[in-house]
Amino acid sequence: GRAGPWEATFFEPSGPLQIRDALSGEVLASFLDNRTTLQSITFSPDKRFFAADTRTKDKARRSIALVDLIAKKALDIPLPDSAEESQFVFSRNGKLLLRFRMTNPLDPEKSPSPFFTYDTSDGRLLGERNSYGLLNERKFDDEAVPHISWTDKGGGDDTAKRSLEIWNPHQSRVMGSLKELSSISATADGRFLVGKRMNPGGKSTARWIIWNLEKQQIDGEFDASENAG
């Protein structure tokens, strides 16, 4: 990725990661020399940070490599060897890194797994939260991580009920929640979540709920026919 008069390059999924002058090709910095594998390679939206699931050449140690390409420094965040292969995503401003296992939030048969949040300034683990899946993870704000906190088929019918939770990793607290939704989706810009809640008894009308992620509040709630969306 490029973010100035330099570029970050790697030619194999095995380090080193080099920062080169984009004009002269001179190597300005090199990272991850002792790594043999790089997986789940991810850049922050502004291309400042780089994260990867790595393992040392002797396979004795596994960790997250979190590299600040502008400050030219790398942080090594240990991972347990038993940890599943991770996926990473940065918040829109790059201040937060999420590590999670890919799950299907719409599958009620899946068991929950934790997602982990890290401060990119120092690599500090802020906490973890059990989840059935993240929503619109590519556009989340570092103060609000929307995810499926609970799911259950319930009542023996084919409609899964889900609960949405807005989690603030910096404050380790729930900012808001919507319960017993039959469907949840996020808008393309990542600013709103739309949930559909069936009325009691599963009648022909449902309730649409619009959650404003920036203001942390419900902006609208209205009835709709069962076939409206």
Side-chain angles (χ1 to χ4, degrees), residues 49-198:
F49 294 100
F50 166 95
D53 188 336
T54 71
R55 191 181 293 272
T56 53
K57 288 182 179 179
D58 59 7
K59 298 186 178 180
R61 190 168 185 273
R62 187 173 164 208
S63 63
I64 301 170
L66 178 58
V67 180
D68 186 331
L69 296 169
I70 293 180
K72 300 175 186 176
K73 68 176 184 179
L75 297 173
D76 196 58
I77 305 171
L79 283 177
D81 202 53
S82 59
E84 298 186 45
E85 182 178 346
S86 301
Q87 299 290 325
F88 299 106
V89 64
F90 288 88
S91 60
R92 286 181 286 188
N93 60 14
K95 292 182 178 180
L96 193 71
L97 174 69
L98 257 64
R99 175 172 71 88
F100 61 97
R101 184 186 74 182
M102 291 296 289
T103 59
N104 179 2
L106 301 182
D107 186 352
E109 301 299 331
K110 293 285 186 181
S111 58
S113 62
F115 64 84
F116 302 83
T117 55
Y118 302 86
D119 188 318
T120 57
S121 66
D122 55 13
R124 176 170 44 98
L125 176 64
L126 298 174
E128 63 180 87
R129 192 76 171 166
N130 269 339
S131 175
Y132 283 87
L134 301 174
L135 282 177
N136 209 35
E137 66 270 11
R138 298 295 168 187
K139 293 184 178 180
F140 76 92
D141 184 271
D142 65 320
E143 297 292 340
V145 180
H147 72 103
I148 308 299
S149 60
W150 173 86
T151 183
D152 180 54
K153 280 192 171 180
D157 58 23
D158 295 326
T159 303
K161 296 178 181 178
R162 307 172 187 89
S163 291
L164 170 73
E165 180 179 272
I166 313 297
W167 177 251
N168 186 311
H170 288 290
Q171 299 177 17
S172 294
R173 71 184 184 94
V174 177
M175 305 294 290
S177 63
L178 297 173
K179 298 185 178 183
E180 297 190 348
L181 302 175
S182 61
S183 66
I184 310 170
S185 60
T187 57
D189 60 8
R191 295 175 56 205
F192 299 94
L193 297 174
V194 180
K196 183 179 181 182
R197 179 185 292 149
M198 298 304 295

Side-chain angles (χ1 to χ4, degrees), residues 14 20 107 153 210:
S14 58
R20 295 175 178 263
D107 186 352
K153 280 192 171 180
I210 301 174

